[in-house]
Amino acid sequence: MATAAATSVSEPEAESKAGPKAEGEEDEVKAAKTRRKVLSRAVTAETYKTIGPEWNPQEEGVSESDGDDEEYAMASSAESSPGEYEWEYDEEEEKNQLEIERLEEQLSINIYDYNCHVDLIRLLRLEGELTKVRMARQKMSEIFPLTEELWLEWLHDEISMAQDGLDREHVYDLFEKAVKDYILEKVHSLFRRQLAIPLYDMEATFAEYEEWSEDPVPESVIQNYNKALQQLEKYKPYEEALLQAEAPRLAEYQAYIDFEMKMGDPARVQLIFERALVENCLVPDLWIRYSQYLDRQLKVKDLVLSVHNRAVRNCPWTVALWSRYLLAMERHGVDHRVISDSSKELEELRATFTRALEYLKQEVEERFNESGDPSCMIMQNWARIEARLCNNMQKARELWDSIMTKGNAKYANMWLEYYNLERAHGDTQHCRKALHRAVQCTSDYPEHVCEVLLTMERTEGTLEDWDIAVQKTETRLARVNEQRMKAAEKEAALVQQEEEKAEQRKRSRAEKKALKKKRKTRGADKHRADEDDEKEWGDDEEELPSKRRRVENSVPPSGQTRDAEAETGPAERHTSVAVDPPSKQKEKAAALKRDVPRVPHDSSKDSITVFVSNLPYSLGEPDAKLRPLFEACGEVAEIRPIFSNRGDFRGYCYVEFKDEKSALQALELDRKMVEGRPMFVSPCVDKSKNPDFKVFRYSTALEKHKLFVSGLPFSCTKEELEEICKAHGTVKDLRLVTNRAGKPKGLAYVEYENESQASQAVMKMDGMTIRENVIKVAISNPPQRKVPEKPEARKAPGGPMVPRQIYGARGKGRTQLSLLPRALQRPSATPQAENGPAPSPAVTTSAATEAPKMSNADFAKLLLRK
């Protein structure tokens, strides 16, 4: 950069020595030479500050001395290698000129391209084009607030070029603009204000102020400083969060803003907004929130309009900021000429409306077969602008005709909106015409439109107009009432049909239920009869052959049987073939069940007892394994594991403590892993006395600060997901959903500190890919849990027996078979009543006993018959 500047200085010197010049041309050359020398010095100083002391200007062809020595050094440098130097400079200059032309063309297309402005200023400054640099900087400052570096660079160049009083005034104006862009104050007042409010690292600020100030620090400043130090403890967590986070730290600033707005100090609220905007100046939501606070709370004209102006300059693409800016100017009485648009801008606005409508038609309506603007709000706003600001009611009426042809003519509110526009900016004739059309076309609330028409004719119309309006409204309302009556009759008929269908379905369900009860009652009677037959069959069990011999098909002839009996004797014969019948087996099972020790439970100790479930069935010695876990919560009185009839652990138990406090603390062990399986710990509650008690401890309502994440890979750990979520806010809790075996289900719940962090996380994380899995993120809003209704039959003490009462606690087993052979089964002679009660078991038993009885020997022969 310094080489190019030095070359630009040496070029006019070489040209001035090449031949004689006119006196006027020589003055111009000298003036240009002087300007380039000054700019060269500024560039040299800036390069020295950037590169450091190791940079040698002599090596770059730039001398710090002025006058003939500088010209001679540059001339000598140029003469040393004139061809090569001029060729390199021309090539670089041509390249820069082409880039400058490209950037100027780009800015003519899009003036809001920030990077193009910065690049253009840099290249023009490099080429020494002082006038163009000023113009480029001026244009950029009119559109964007310049950064601190850009302002300092501009001020440095202007100070170097200032030669008289006018130039110094220009520099002072630039300083004033720089101050307005960043709300800077004088250094003294800034220090004093900063020390009067609690800010992080105030001690260092106070020491810096003491070192900077020539006078002693005033006593009032010291008192305010000590008071602010005491208040700083409230703000330290938020300041520390800002220090630990990385830029732009939007979530941390939003949390800080929420806290300051709760505290209610306007100065601190404004300060934290300004701090947040330094790093997040391109976030429209932050500008909207700041301007909304100023509009509603402070209402200071200069401050409010300044913030609105900065907002639209930083985010000119946001419509909401422009609309708020216009409302603020109107609210504070700004001159209308400042707000009004020129004719050229009006045409651009009309073209924008047209493009918006074409886009909705092509991209939304034709592609998705849906209206992108069902209420035609864009066209309504366009019509209002044409009527109010342009006094072009003809265009507004054309727009409203187009709105009505898009299916909105049947709505009364649309006609009344058009009527109000005509009343405000049109004439009575068009108002009457619009209302007459509305009376004929409106189908949702025609009474409202008719009432408005009659009111207008009563106040502004003639008697003839009144008569016409009354006749039209009465005719229209009579037709509408007739149509409504027909629709009501049709709807009533449909409702009656639905009720009849529902009643028919109800009767059908009742009949099926009654039939099912009859079948179950007959099955119970048949089961009792089979048990009676089994008892009779078991009385003479010695005459029956062994079931094992029957299966192995090894029944010997009668002679061999008698020989075997003679050899072995009756005792050995009885031992080899004796098998307990089913009745005996049932008795033994019942005896075994009686032998299993029962676990007593005292419901009066529920307050000091917890119920532990979802334990592994293979858990050996549950008492020994669980006692160390629960003793950490308090003294354990007893652990009662539950076993099955066969002595197997059933996976749950009761843990009784000495006091209630220990039981409450034990609830925190819920979901703790025990041998690879989450242990469920819940209060011990008798559900028969408290049927509405629910163990589920998580909220089932909408929680705006909590997210529901689905589609996670099963291998995703809690730490990995928490690391991802931390980037969008402070994570208070994170829970991976698992099944009863402790295996992940690919779901998770993430709880943030506030709603804004959760909303930002939804926008950033929804659709994110984690290990080839695309996750879905939404605000937590679980569906309502359905509680099954209790059957009425169980409530009625004298009602019929339900299946649970007939077959036991576990219902009817899959392998429950009748032991009566099919050859002996006979259909029941008892007729089945369709609507009457099921036949009693006594009738069935008497009918079964009417058949001739068979002896045990006959029954055995029947079984062995092939």
Side-chain angles (χ1 to χ4, degrees), residues 86-368:
E86 292 176 1
W87 181 81
E88 291 179 356
Y89 173 74
D90 292 342
E91 184 179 6
E92 183 178 359
E93 184 180 16
E94 183 179 359
K95 186 188 299 184
N96 290 341
Q97 288 297 330
L98 292 175
E99 182 66 15
I100 290 171
E101 293 176 1
R102 186 190 69 80
L103 292 173
E104 290 176 345
E105 182 179 0
Q106 182 69 22
L107 289 175
S108 65
I109 298 174
N110 182 13
I111 197 173
Y112 295 104
D113 193 334
Y114 185 90
N115 294 329
C116 282
H117 281 285
V118 175
D119 293 341
L120 180 60
I121 291 172
R122 179 180 56 81
L123 287 175
L124 290 174
R125 189 168 183 265
L126 183 64
E127 290 296 317
E129 299 287 346
L130 180 59
T131 304
K132 291 186 177 180
V133 169
R134 278 180 176 172
M135 293 177 62
R137 284 169 171 163
Q138 186 66 30
K139 287 182 179 180
M140 185 177 180
S141 66
E142 291 174 359
I143 301 171
F144 298 105
L146 302 185
T147 62
E148 184 178 353
E149 292 79 10
L150 290 175
W151 273 118
L152 291 176
E153 185 181 74
W154 189 359
L155 290 168
H156 182 272
D157 293 346
E158 293 294 342
I159 290 172
S160 301
M161 297 295 298
Q163 295 180 355
D164 52 15
L166 293 177
D167 292 341
R168 294 190 185 91
E169 290 294 331
H170 177 63
V171 172
Y172 293 151
D173 293 340
L174 288 180
F175 269 113
E176 291 293 333
K177 289 182 179 180
V179 167
K180 289 181 181 179
D181 257 2
Y182 283 91
I183 315 183
L184 304 174
E185 296 180 5
K186 294 180 181 180
V187 178
H188 252 299
S189 61
L190 182 61
F191 265 119
R192 293 176 181 178
R193 182 185 176 189
Q194 185 175 356
L195 293 173
I197 55 180
L199 293 175
Y200 196 74
D201 200 13
M202 293 183 63
E203 297 83 355
T205 306
F206 185 78
E208 184 180 356
Y209 183 38
E210 285 184 323
E211 181 181 357
W212 179 83
S213 178
E214 297 178 355
D215 301 328
V217 179
E219 185 64 26
S220 60
V221 175
I222 297 177
Q223 292 178 358
N224 293 333
Y225 166 69
N226 294 328
K227 184 178 179 180
L229 275 179
Q230 297 176 359
Q231 299 178 356
L232 180 61
E233 297 300 324
K234 301 178 183 178
Y235 306 100
K236 268 191 176 181
Y238 300 96
E239 295 291 345
E240 291 174 355
L242 289 174
L243 289 176
Q244 296 172 2
E246 297 181 359
R249 302 178 287 191
L250 179 59
E252 288 75 16
Y253 275 120
Q254 287 178 340
Y256 206 166
I257 290 171
D258 293 337
F259 173 75
E260 291 289 3
M261 293 183 74
K262 288 181 181 178
M263 298 299 294
D265 186 354
R268 288 195 59 87
V269 173
Q270 183 184 356
L271 177 64
I272 190 60
F273 269 116
E274 293 293 343
R275 289 176 61 189
L277 288 170
V278 171
E279 299 182 8
N280 301 276
C281 60
L282 300 181
V283 179
D285 293 340
L286 193 58
W287 284 108
I288 290 174
R289 191 175 180 186
Y290 187 21
S291 60
Q292 184 177 1
Y293 173 79
L294 296 178
D295 289 337
R296 296 179 179 178
Q297 301 295 331
L298 298 185
K299 301 179 181 180
V300 179
K301 178 180 178 181
D302 294 337
L303 177 61
V304 171
L305 294 180
S306 174
V307 171
H308 279 289
N309 185 31
R310 291 164 55 206
V312 296
R313 291 175 66 190
N314 280 277
C315 305
W317 58 86
T318 307
V319 178
L321 290 175
W322 284 104
S323 61
R324 288 176 178 274
Y325 190 17
L326 293 173
L327 290 174
M329 287 192 288
E330 184 175 358
R331 189 179 295 116
H332 292 283
V334 178
D335 190 0
H336 185 264
R337 287 175 294 180
V338 179
I339 308 174
S340 61
D341 299 326
S342 64
S343 58
K344 181 179 179 181
E345 292 171 338
L346 181 60
E347 291 301 324
E348 292 179 356
L349 179 62
R350 287 171 175 166
T352 303
F353 274 119
T354 304
R355 289 199 305 272
L357 296 176
E358 291 176 355
Y359 175 81
L360 290 176
K361 182 178 180 181
Q362 295 176 1
E363 299 296 330
V364 180
E365 296 178 9
E366 295 181 358
R367 294 180 60 183
F368 301 102

Side-chain angles (χ1 to χ4, degrees), residues 17-89:
K17 296 177 182 179
K21 295 285 184 179
E23 185 176 354
E25 293 179 355
E26 289 180 357
D27 295 336
E28 292 178 1
V29 170
K30 288 182 180 179
K33 183 168 61 175
T34 303
R35 288 196 301 270
R36 294 196 177 186
K37 285 180 181 179
V38 174
L39 184 58
S40 177
R41 294 192 198 102
V43 171
T44 302
E46 187 68 20
T47 307
Y48 182 82
K49 289 194 293 183
T50 303
I51 299 177
E54 66 272 16
W55 180 70
N56 188 1
Q58 298 294 340
E59 296 178 359
E60 298 289 342
V62 179
S63 175
E64 297 182 357
S65 61
D66 295 332
D68 297 335
D69 295 337
E70 182 181 0
E71 295 175 4
Y72 177 79
M74 291 185 177
S76 302
S77 175
E79 290 175 1
S80 60
S81 55
E84 181 180 358
Y85 185 86
E86 292 176 1
W87 181 81
E88 291 179 356
Y89 173 74

Side-chain angles (χ1 to χ4, degrees), residues 363-396:
E363 299 296 330
V364 180
E365 296 178 9
E366 295 181 358
R367 294 180 60 183
F368 301 102
N369 295 325
E370 293 184 2
S371 176
D373 188 9
S375 302
C376 298
M377 295 303 299
I378 295 177
M379 298 181 72
Q380 289 188 43
N381 291 328
W382 189 0
R384 291 191 195 99
I385 292 174
E386 294 288 351
R388 295 177 58 184
L389 302 180
C390 306
N391 296 323
N392 190 354
M393 277 303 299
Q394 183 61 32
K395 181 63 176 179

Side-chain angles (χ1 to χ4, degrees), residues 2-18:
T3 305
T7 307
S8 64
V9 172
S10 62
E11 207 173 24
E13 295 176 1
E15 291 176 359
S16 62
K17 296 177 182 179

